[in-house]
Amino acid sequence: MVYLKTDDEIELLREANLLVGKTLAELAKIIRPGVTTRQLDVLAETVIRDNGAEPTFKGFPNPYGPAFPASICTSVNEQVVHGIPNDIPLKEGDIVSVDCGTRLNGFCGDSCYTFAVGEISDEARQLLRITKESLYKGIEQAVAGHRLGDISNAVQTHCEAQGYGVVREFVGHGIGHEMHEDPQVPNFGRKGNGPLLKSGLCIAIEPMITMGAKEVYLQEDRWGVVTRDKSLAAHFEHTICVRRGKADILSSFEEIERILHE
Ligand code: MG
Ligand code: MG
């Protein structure tokens, strides 16, 4: 069931989401060759709990195996989403998507940023740029009176124009008291299709884009999702609120990007 949020609820959602941005910004300060994704996880959990919130990912149930063991998902190179943090040091030239979720005052934050580790190839840099652009193309369509398919189509066409793969098995979602609420928000679809967007609808838009084919498989740990052709994958996510004229972006990359550009 889709429910529209009140203005008070939207402000609580914003607080939870700004904490995700703040957490990712703390990680941005330490992401470099030699750092392990487990170190990122420990820092993320500390920042989240020190701010009076809970990491929503930790203990998240999995119908196919054990619950998620960490506070962030860290997906490196050909990993698309849901990578479990580990003790393998990041290397120069890697890309790492860090997806983070919080619950603060009963509302959920959910946002993801893909980071370059040291210097990365021009091809990888372009994948990150196009994937992030596609997120904002989707957000431009998230206005009252449009249809959900307008968002999906904007993401898909921007990425496929570059020859990139748009992952089908994982999608964006409504968000509120629960991290995953209705409706589903696919990164592919037709303009003018799907439910009508109304002011107060809060959704996470999250393109998961590969440099090659769109097919993926589940790793043995029953969490990590990897491209079948081993091509690189990127993932950017914002939680937004549909409004008349222009969406309200509740999460933020501002602090992350200020640190990356220092
Ligand atoms: Mg997420
Ligand atoms: Mg999400």
Side-chain angles (χ1 to χ4, degrees), residues 201-222:
L201 175 68
C202 294
I203 51 176
I205 303 176
E206 47 180 316
M208 290 156 255
I209 306 301
T210 78
M211 212 188 268
K214 64 183 186 302
E215 284 72 26
V216 295
Y217 68 89
L218 190 61
Q219 291 183 292
E220 264 173 37
D221 63 20
R222 313 309 284 165

Side-chain angles (χ1 to χ4, degrees), residues 147-206:
R147 300 246 167 210
L148 198 107
D150 298 340
I151 300 173
S152 306
N153 184 262
V155 172
Q156 180 181 14
T157 52
H158 191 66
C159 296
E160 288 184 348
Q162 299 291 328
Y164 292 156
V166 177
V167 172
R168 299 298 200 265
E169 289 85 347
F170 299 89
V171 296
H173 48 89
I175 181 165
H177 285 298
E178 298 303 324
M179 184 165 60
H180 295 143
E181 297 185 354
D182 288 337
Q184 292 200 340
V185 184
N187 296 304
F188 57 96
R190 272 190 249 144
K191 267 187 206 170
N193 266 21
L196 189 64
L197 301 176
K198 294 182 183 162
S199 189
L201 175 68
C202 294
I203 51 176
I205 303 176
E206 47 180 316

Side-chain angles (χ1 to χ4, degrees), residues 39-199:
Q39 287 173 294
L40 301 181
D41 179 51
V42 169
L43 177 57
E45 181 166 2
T46 303
V47 175
I48 292 168
R49 294 197 191 279
D50 283 354
N51 282 274
E54 281 167 36
T56 39
F57 293 3
K58 198 155 199 179
F60 200 81
N62 180 352
Y64 309 107
F68 197 74
S71 295
I72 51 174
C73 299
T74 53
S75 305
V76 179
N77 295 337
E78 70 271 17
Q79 277 186 320
V80 184
V81 287
H82 304 163
I84 297 176
N86 60 32
D87 294 314
I88 302 169
L90 293 169
K91 304 185 305 295
E92 180 94 22
D94 284 346
I95 59 174
V96 58
S97 303
V98 183
D99 196 350
C100 179
T102 59
R103 181 178 275 110
L104 179 64
N105 299 318
F107 282 88
C108 290
D110 188 9
S111 179
C112 178
Y113 199 93
T114 303
F115 295 90
V117 181
E119 281 302 311
I120 62 172
S121 68
D122 291 346
E123 292 78 11
R125 195 164 295 285
Q126 171 167 300
L127 174 70
L128 302 194
R129 179 173 61 80
I130 297 290
T131 304
K132 191 168 69 170
E133 280 174 10
S134 79
L135 168 59
Y136 288 103
K137 299 267 179 198
I139 293 171
E140 270 174 35
Q141 297 299 320
V143 292
H146 283 202
R147 300 246 167 210
L148 198 107
D150 298 340
I151 300 173
S152 306
N153 184 262
V155 172
Q156 180 181 14
T157 52
H158 191 66
C159 296
E160 288 184 348
Q162 299 291 328
Y164 292 156
V166 177
V167 172
R168 299 298 200 265
E169 289 85 347
F170 299 89
V171 296
H173 48 89
I175 181 165
H177 285 298
E178 298 303 324
M179 184 165 60
H180 295 143
E181 297 185 354
D182 288 337
Q184 292 200 340
V185 184
N187 296 304
F188 57 96
R190 272 190 249 144
K191 267 187 206 170
N193 266 21
L196 189 64
L197 301 176
K198 294 182 183 162
S199 189

